Amino acid sequence: MKAFRFLRRSLVWVYRFRHRCGYGIHSPFAFHIVRDVIYEEDAFYAYAPLAAEPAADSGLRLKDLRLLLRLANDHRPRTGILLGEDTRGALRYLQAGRNSCRFLGTEARALPEKSAELPERLDLCYADRPEEWELAAGQLLPRCHGGTLVIMRGIHRGKSARRTWQNLQALTQVRVTFDLYDFGLAYFEERLNKQDYVINYF
């Protein structure tokens, strides 16, 4: 099974190779996200302190956790929500990227009980599984605005996951998306033209 997964990822990497480092991207916004956030290689001040703490068993690679930190640092949310059973690792790195942000962590099925805690305007949403977003979208979309970022993990785990991601991409208010294979990034940037990018992130 591991050999099959390795082979599959290798084939995906080859297919996506031409989508590296911003090649063919003409939008300044998208080029910035790709070059200065996704592919940023400089060390952040928080990397060392976070690495010294016990790791939370979230299933995320260190590379993925650091990507979350950079996304939060770049996006600068004031309010955020994490959807999933165990998002402790993701929360640590998102908070390190924007320690002034008020994050709420919960499972989508528990949202009705936490409705009073939901912000009126949601700046960032991290969904650990596409199913979490699908369950929560009805409550969260009215709170999204022109500066919201949705981070969805596992968008290629199966047909259902891909369909959930494609439904998010198709929303009128979602203007720019990045398919990183392991993650999907959806920006509600109302000032931008609608565009979907495939990025070679491995």
Side-chain angles (χ1 to χ4, degrees):
M1 184 60 72
K2 287 184 178 179
F4 175 76
R5 285 199 298 265
F6 175 78
L7 178 60
R8 181 180 179 180
R9 290 182 70 88
S10 297
L11 291 172
V12 172
W13 184 88
V14 170
Y15 171 74
R16 291 177 176 233
F17 182 77
R18 64 190 179 91
H19 299 287
R20 287 184 58 82
C21 302
Y23 298 147
I25 294 178
H26 303 290
S27 160
F29 171 82
F31 191 79
H32 160 71
I33 297 298
V34 173
R35 291 297 301 271
D36 301 330
V37 182
I38 297 172
Y39 282 121
E40 176 59 67
E41 295 182 354
D42 289 343
F44 277 65
Y45 64 89
Y47 283 176
L50 287 167
E53 298 177 21
D57 185 15
S58 61
L60 290 165
R61 301 172 298 175
L62 180 61
K63 176 180 180 177
D64 299 333
L65 292 167
R66 288 179 171 177
L67 172 64
L68 295 180
L69 184 154
R70 296 194 301 273
L71 286 167
N73 180 263
D74 178 75
H75 195 65
R76 300 184 180 181
R78 295 182 180 180
T79 59
I81 188 169
L82 291 86
L83 302 170
E85 294 180 2
D86 183 6
T87 57
R88 291 172 297 167
L91 176 60
R92 284 176 55 224
Y93 277 78
L94 286 168
Q95 283 184 323
R98 187 64 171 172
N99 57 22
S100 62
C101 181
R102 182 172 67 86
F103 285 105
L104 171 67
T106 186
E107 293 181 59
R109 62 175 175 265
L111 272 182
E113 302 167 12
K114 296 180 177 285
S115 57
E117 301 177 49
L118 290 174
E120 290 186 11
R121 285 169 60 88
L122 182 63
D123 298 328
L124 186 149
C125 174
Y126 170 78
D128 196 54
R129 295 182 302 140
E131 300 93 316
E132 294 283 341
W133 169 259
E134 192 169 30
L135 288 171
Q139 284 185 265
L140 299 185
L141 279 174
R143 303 170 190 273
C144 295
H145 57 92
T148 297
L149 165 62
V150 174
I151 305 169
M152 188 181 295
R153 181 186 176 199
I155 62 173
H156 288 282
R157 285 179 180 167
K159 290 183 180 179
S160 177
R162 286 191 291 271
R163 184 169 57 251
T164 299
W165 168 243
Q166 290 164 359
N167 289 341
L168 177 60
Q169 285 182 301
L171 292 176
T172 303
Q173 59 267 49
V174 172
R175 307 306 298 166
V176 179
T177 68
F178 299 89
D179 176 346
L180 280 59
Y181 190 76
D182 290 321
F183 293 93
L185 312 178
Y187 284 87
F188 290 60
E189 283 283 351
E190 55 193 10
R191 61 191 171 88
L192 299 174
N193 294 324
K194 197 166 180 65
Q195 185 70 54
D196 303 314
Y197 296 97
V198 174
I199 305 298
N200 188 16
Y201 169 82
F202 279 95

